[in-house]
Amino acid sequence: MTTAGTPGHGPLSGVRVVELAGIGPGPFAAMLLADLGADVVRVDRPGGQGLAIDPAHDVTNRNKRSVLVDLKSTDGPARVLDLAARADILIEGYRPGVAERLGVGPADCHARNPRLVYGRMTGWGQEGPLAHRAGHDIAYIALTGTLGMIGRPDEPPAVPANLLGDYAGGSLYLVVGVLAALHHARATGTGQVVDAAIVDGTAHLASMIHGMVAAGRWQDRRGANLLDGGCPYYGTYETADGGHMAVGALEPQFYAEFLDRLGGVDDLADARKDWTRWGELRERVAARFRERSRAEWTAVFEGSDACVAPVLSLAEAPHHPHLAARATFTDHAGITQPAPAPRFSATPTSVRTAPAHPGADTPEVAHDWAVPTLLDGHVPDPLVAGAEKPDARPDAHAPDAHVPDAHVPDAHVPDAHTAGGHVPGGHVPDASGPHAPGPDDRDHDHDKDIA
């Protein structure tokens, strides 16, 4: 394993990662590796577009360093290969074939570094009829059957933000994959390609449900099962002030305590096992919750094992006593954000630096990674020149300068999760020669990032 030139924090200290910039699952996966202590260098594209926010607020680029490389230039691919030669892991999110056309595909990188783990993040995957099509989280999870499981039976499927596909089915599987491949590379000296597709990961997340369907214990429709809102003691209820309470009293003892604390529905205790009475039980429970405010119900269930909790907003969550006690959220560079997870007893992690500004770390990375060619034509950014530490940079690691791996769908985006088409400003690059991946080169919304 190569050794990072800068001190690290966390169990992955000493692991070097090259991230070809993008948006969505790719950057989030790279952030996880950075949070765990890896030295992540994000290769941003000059003038590249990322999230429509100030880069200083894109926390998915925290704990990283950034260099600028123009893959349209004749020497751009060579600079990326110089980095790959010194890395343990490389992550990209272009549509299938884009990285190869740019000269930074798996074969190009492995020719320089046979031990390299080459992670590819896309929505549709590297192969299949839709591999070159554009797409976004919602389309990926739609085809896997998971989107159709979520929501009320009398309404269209509910949209779970982009957490289920992009991050759970995408980023987390990419991280597991590249770390497993890194373990193999250390043992054998041989790297490999990790094809992380959101459709694969999201389908895999539903493994238990598929087993229950096969066993006849799950109906293949929304709002009719124990864990999809069909059960009246596993769901959410509105309170008198417009707030909501979440109920998960599945086991008999928890259900009994739930009814005892709720009050007024004791006569329906036996409806727990009688699904024909679930509708009646749900109506009675809903009526009770509408009698008091969220705060009042929170107080009623406080300290109990009824498995009931208030539904909090993003702004409220950091102030909940339990999360505050665990420091689940942290403040860094003026931004309240989730702290790194999980936690390690011997190799603790932390938010070490603010989001990296595109190219701000070029001189430092050129020195630490022994890649002097990164300095060719480098022009210091006046906004960050003189910054003492990456964490002092207000705008460090802007999310998307390079964003070949961004989640932004792009017309071309062969590797983006969006594979194709929608990416704002996307264009269809000329397949006849090298070019810097644009929004269209990213797989799709996420694929752009690293697909």
Side-chain angles (χ1 to χ4, degrees):
M1 179 188 73
T2 55
T3 302
T6 54
H9 303 272
L12 293 185
S13 178
V15 173
R16 283 179 166 175
V17 179
V18 174
E19 174 198 355
L20 300 186
I23 61 174
F28 185 79
M31 182 201 74
L32 284 175
L33 296 173
D35 282 354
L36 296 180
D39 180 8
V40 177
V41 171
R42 179 177 169 95
V43 179
D44 281 301
R45 177 167 63 101
Q49 56 183 204
L51 298 178
I53 62 173
D54 180 348
H57 293 100
D58 185 357
V59 298
T60 63
N61 285 316
R62 71 190 187 190
N63 288 340
K64 303 177 184 178
R65 298 192 286 178
S66 171
V67 300
L68 288 180
V69 175
D70 184 359
L71 285 173
K72 287 182 178 179
S73 67
T74 56
D75 59 351
R79 296 182 189 182
V80 170
L81 293 178
D82 285 343
L83 289 170
R86 295 158 174 79
D88 297 292
I89 298 169
L90 182 145
I91 291 174
E92 60 94 356
Y94 301 129
R95 290 192 197 183
V98 171
E100 285 85 347
R101 185 165 65 254
L102 291 171
V104 294
D108 303 296
C109 291
H110 284 145
R112 296 287 303 278
N113 180 1
R115 300 168 60 94
L116 181 72
V117 172
Y118 196 103
R120 317 196 82 164
M121 178 80 260
T122 57
W124 303 119
Q126 297 297 309
E127 302 169 342
L130 298 179
H132 292 276
R133 293 282 299 279
H136 278 288
D137 172 287
I138 194 168
Y140 308 139
I141 65 176
L143 289 194
T144 66
T146 52
L147 178 60
M149 295 166 47
I150 305 171
R152 297 176 57 84
D154 55 346
E155 298 177 358
V159 181
N162 68 329
L163 301 177
L164 175 57
D166 283 355
Y167 299 128
S171 302
L172 296 184
Y173 278 84
L174 175 64
V175 170
V176 170
V178 297
L179 291 182
L182 178 61
H183 176 74
H184 175 267
R186 287 178 172 177
T188 66
T190 303
Q192 60 183 302
V193 177
V194 176
D195 175 5
I198 291 177
V199 291
D200 296 346
T202 305
H204 190 261
L205 288 170
S207 296
M208 182 193 76
I209 304 300
H210 281 280
M212 294 179 71
V213 170
R217 300 298 300 275
W218 188 279
Q219 299 182 59
D220 194 8
R221 58 192 180 90
R222 283 192 305 286
N225 302 285
L226 189 65
L227 303 175
D228 65 356
C231 173
Y233 44 92
Y234 194 89
T236 57
Y237 291 92
E238 185 176 8
T239 57
D241 58 348
H244 294 86
M245 299 294 291
V247 178
L250 293 176
E251 291 76 11
Q253 68 274 26
F254 303 148
Y255 176 74
E257 185 161 0
F258 165 61
L259 293 187
D260 181 59
R261 296 268 180 155
L262 183 68
V265 293
D266 293 346
D267 56 313
L268 288 175
D270 292 341
R272 175 178 176 273
K273 292 185 177 181
D274 185 357
W275 67 267
T276 64
R277 302 179 66 191
W278 277 6
E280 180 185 5
L281 177 58
R282 180 181 293 102
E283 291 179 4
R284 292 278 296 279
V285 171
R288 280 293 291 154
F289 272 115
R290 286 194 295 268
E291 294 177 8
R292 299 183 183 181
S293 69
R294 189 187 70 175
E296 290 173 322
W297 282 118
T298 299
V300 167
F301 290 101
E302 183 71 28
S304 76
D305 277 342
C307 301
V308 177
V311 178
L312 303 183
S313 68
L314 293 177
E316 293 173 317
H319 306 290
H320 187 276
H322 180 76
L323 302 187
R326 286 184 57 79
T328 298
F329 291 85
T330 186
D331 291 312
H332 190 278
I335 302 174
T336 298
Q337 57 195 282
R343 304 181 185 201
F344 299 85
S345 62
T347 54
T349 59
S350 66
V351 178
R352 305 180 303 279
T353 64
H357 187 286
D361 308 290
T362 301
E364 182 180 301
V365 172
H367 174 271
D368 293 343
W369 285 46
V371 184
T373 55
L374 290 174
L375 296 175
D376 295 346
H378 171 67
V379 178
D381 187 329
L383 294 177
V384 296
E388 297 179 6
K389 292 283 185 183
D391 29 346
R393 292 189 305 263
D395 169 21
H397 262 178
D400 230 35
H402 165 247
V403 172
D405 162 43
H407 263 165
V408 181
D410 267 326
H412 167 243
V413 171
D415 179 35
H417 272 167
T418 342
H422 123 263
V423 171
H427 69 289
V428 179
D430 182 352
S432 63
H435 69 286
D440 341 298
D441 288 324
R442 300 165 247 171
D443 188 12
H444 90 275
D445 194 342
H446 309 83
D447 294 4
K448 326 160 196 174
D449 286 308
I450 119 175

